[in-house]
Amino acid sequence: MLAEFIEKLFECYCALHFTYLEINPLVVTESLQVFPLDLAARLDETARFECGKQWGLIDFPPPFGRPLTKEEEYIHTLDSKTGASLKLTILNPEGRVWMMVAGGGASVIYADTISDLGAGHELANYGEYSGAPTTSDTYEYAKTILSLMTRGKPHPDGKVLLIGGGIANFTNVSTTFKGIIQALQQFALPLQQHKVSIFIRRGGPNYQEGLEKIKRAGIELKLSMEVYGPETHMTAICSRALGLPIRDQRPRMATSLPRPRSLLDLQSPGMEHSESGDSISSPLSSSSSSSSSSSSSSSSSSSAAAAAAASSASSSSASSSSVSSSSSPSPSASPVQKKKQPSLSQVPAQPLASSKTSPLSPSPTPAPAIPVLPPPAAAVVAIVSAAGRSPGGRVWLQRHERLCQQQCRQRLLSSRSLRDGSSGVSTSGRR
């Protein structure tokens, strides 16, 4: 008897979509009848369309802790009668920004974006339509929102309506837009009187047909309307509606870096710095140069090279008259008033000795070598110090690390080949 009661109770629990059921106490009479004296239960409100008649008159608590408005109650009833999802919550009836968004996740993103752009106080409603609603369901939903936003006196600055969403998987965009177009035709005059600007962005099955239909309807009804497809970022219409520049949402790799503190500490044969110091590059293809061009021009980015050019020019009697005016005075010379030293990028190129010298003439003393880091290590130091916290710097750093690792691996393999005397044999198989 008790087992039969529990079996029937479980069937009722599943058929009526209970989410919680507690009976305490449970009484069994002498005639073997079972009576629950007290019961606490919870029902799944989303199953009202399926078994609402069996539930009877049951009042569910209102969302957000307040009674539902007439329009919210209507959409709530409409949602209970369809397999689609129709939600509407009025936040500010006097707001200027109204939303008609497809998808629960997209509605959250649009609401957050509007608040992030500084117009959260103007957000009038929150809700979504999704789950492949029919044309009639979409029409009723759109008609309710258009009725709300065209009430009262027109706002002097006008209002905006965002008909947005992501890229649908199975919702027919053309079918849902057909219902929205019917609502726009019904409220065309009030929309013009309230200076409503409509911004649309949608993607999914048959979105080309749906966007073309609603664009043609906007022209025929003389409505202020902008229509975009999935090629536009989902929330770009929020910036357009608020009159703000559209943010570039695509991730970018860092192409410019701040100037390092010391070029002498970071510069290496594999790295070059622009004159402004805003970019660092590694031109691997320009590693070799002609000897004639290198002897007739001097480096303007290294102070040591400029000093070597001046000392070599002063030691040569043939070119002493041509460089005596531009060479720096010796330390033993009389002190002069100190002037502000130009930066490395502003040092003028010093003329070197003529390249047409006699082969018997002594060669100029080479400049002392400047200790520099190897190109891979210098690149890593430069990127870590300059781009570690810049936008996209991590991606830029990872790519340069891989490049440095490849260079180090190639150098290691070449050194092994020279050491083993097998430069013509591939060493890729060695570990």
Side-chain angles (χ1 to χ4, degrees):
M1 177 269 306
L2 190 58
E4 182 181 358
F5 173 79
I6 296 176
E7 182 180 354
K8 296 295 184 182
L9 181 63
F10 183 74
E11 293 178 358
C12 179
Y13 180 89
C14 296
L16 298 182
H17 290 270
F18 281 92
T19 60
Y20 174 80
L21 180 60
E22 177 184 356
I23 299 176
N24 187 17
L26 183 68
V27 177
V28 180
T29 63
E30 295 179 354
S31 58
L32 300 180
Q33 292 181 339
V34 181
F35 293 96
L37 298 185
D38 195 5
L39 182 144
R42 294 176 184 173
L43 295 171
D44 186 0
E45 186 181 3
T46 59
R48 170 177 278 181
F49 74 97
E50 183 175 348
C51 53
K53 295 181 179 179
Q54 296 174 332
W55 287 348
L57 298 177
I58 297 179
D59 294 330
F60 289 89
F64 297 98
R66 62 171 177 79
L68 297 177
T69 64
K70 179 181 178 181
E71 292 76 17
E72 291 173 340
E73 182 64 32
Y74 176 72
I75 297 299
H76 183 75
T77 304
L78 190 64
D79 177 69
S80 64
K81 297 179 180 179
T82 179
S85 177
L86 303 174
K87 301 291 187 295
L88 175 62
T89 301
I90 301 175
L91 303 176
N92 179 14
E94 304 299 328
R96 297 178 52 236
V97 182
W98 292 77
M99 298 193 309
M100 191 185 307
V101 181
S107 62
V108 175
I109 294 176
Y110 273 94
D112 289 347
T113 303
I114 293 172
S115 300
D116 184 49
L117 295 175
H121 61 287
E122 294 285 1
L123 187 58
N125 72 310
Y126 173 80
E128 54 103 5
Y129 69 97
S130 61
T134 62
T135 300
S136 60
D137 291 339
T138 312
Y139 164 72
E140 294 295 333
Y141 185 82
K143 180 183 69 174
T144 303
I145 293 180
L146 297 180
S147 174
L148 287 169
M149 68 181 306
T150 54
R151 292 179 183 177
K153 297 181 179 181
H155 197 282
D157 298 330
K159 298 181 179 180
V160 296
L161 173 62
L162 302 177
I163 304 178
I167 301 178
N169 294 323
F170 56 89
T171 299
N172 193 325
V173 177
S174 180
T175 300
T176 55
F177 272 28
K178 187 182 298 184
I180 296 176
I181 292 173
Q182 294 176 3
L184 292 176
Q185 293 172 347
Q186 182 177 347
F187 287 87
L189 184 59
L191 290 173
Q192 296 174 1
Q193 295 174 348
H194 286 261
K195 302 178 182 178
V196 176
S197 300
I198 304 174
F199 297 85
I200 302 172
R201 191 274 183 189
R202 195 71 170 101
N206 297 326
Y207 79 92
Q208 298 95 336
E209 180 182 356
L211 295 179
E212 183 63 28
K213 287 182 179 179
I214 200 168
K215 184 178 181 180
R216 191 182 308 114
I219 296 175
E220 295 175 355
L221 299 175
K222 298 180 180 180
L223 299 176
S224 176
M225 181 183 296
E226 295 184 14
V227 180
Y228 302 93
E231 72 281 352
T232 304
H233 191 270
M234 187 173 69
T235 58
I237 60 174
C238 297
S239 301
R240 292 285 302 164
L242 300 177
L244 301 175
I246 297 178
R247 297 179 177 180
D248 191 357
Q249 305 289 346
R250 295 173 298 175
R252 288 181 177 269
M253 191 170 60
T255 57
S256 62
L257 302 176
R259 189 185 184 100
R261 294 182 178 179
S262 175
L263 293 179
L264 297 179
D265 294 339
L266 298 179
Q267 189 171 4
S268 64
M271 300 178 60
E272 291 184 0
H273 298 267
S274 64
E275 183 175 354
S276 60
D278 293 335
S279 63
I280 299 178
S281 59
S282 298
L284 301 178
S285 60
S286 60
S287 59
S288 62
S289 59
S290 174
S291 60
S292 59
S293 62
S294 62
S295 62
S296 61
S297 62
S298 63
S299 172
S300 61
S301 62
S302 173
S303 61
S311 61
S312 62
S314 62
S315 63
S316 177
S317 60
S319 58
S320 59
S321 59
S322 63
V323 298
S324 58
S325 60
S326 61
S327 60
S328 58
S330 60
S332 60
S334 59
V336 294
Q337 185 179 2
K338 294 184 178 180
K339 296 182 179 180
K340 184 178 180 181
Q341 297 295 332
S343 61
L344 295 178
S345 60
Q346 297 174 351
V347 176
Q350 303 292 339
L352 297 177
S354 176
S355 59
K356 298 181 180 180
T357 58
S358 171
L360 300 178
S361 59
S363 59
T365 305
I370 302 175
V372 295
L373 295 173
V380 173
V381 172
I383 295 170
V384 170
S385 61
R389 297 183 179 179
S390 62
R394 295 182 179 177
V395 179
W396 204 76
L397 176 59
Q398 292 175 357
R399 295 189 63 181
H400 274 267
E401 285 180 345
R402 288 195 294 266
L403 177 61
C404 294
Q405 291 175 0
Q406 293 176 1
Q407 293 178 353
C408 292
R409 190 179 299 108
Q410 292 176 357
R411 292 187 178 187
L412 180 60
L413 292 177
S414 61
S415 63
R416 287 181 177 177
S417 299
L418 295 176
R419 183 187 61 188
D420 299 340
S422 55
S423 58
V425 181
S426 175
T427 59
S428 59
R430 298 189 178 183
R431 292 292 181 183

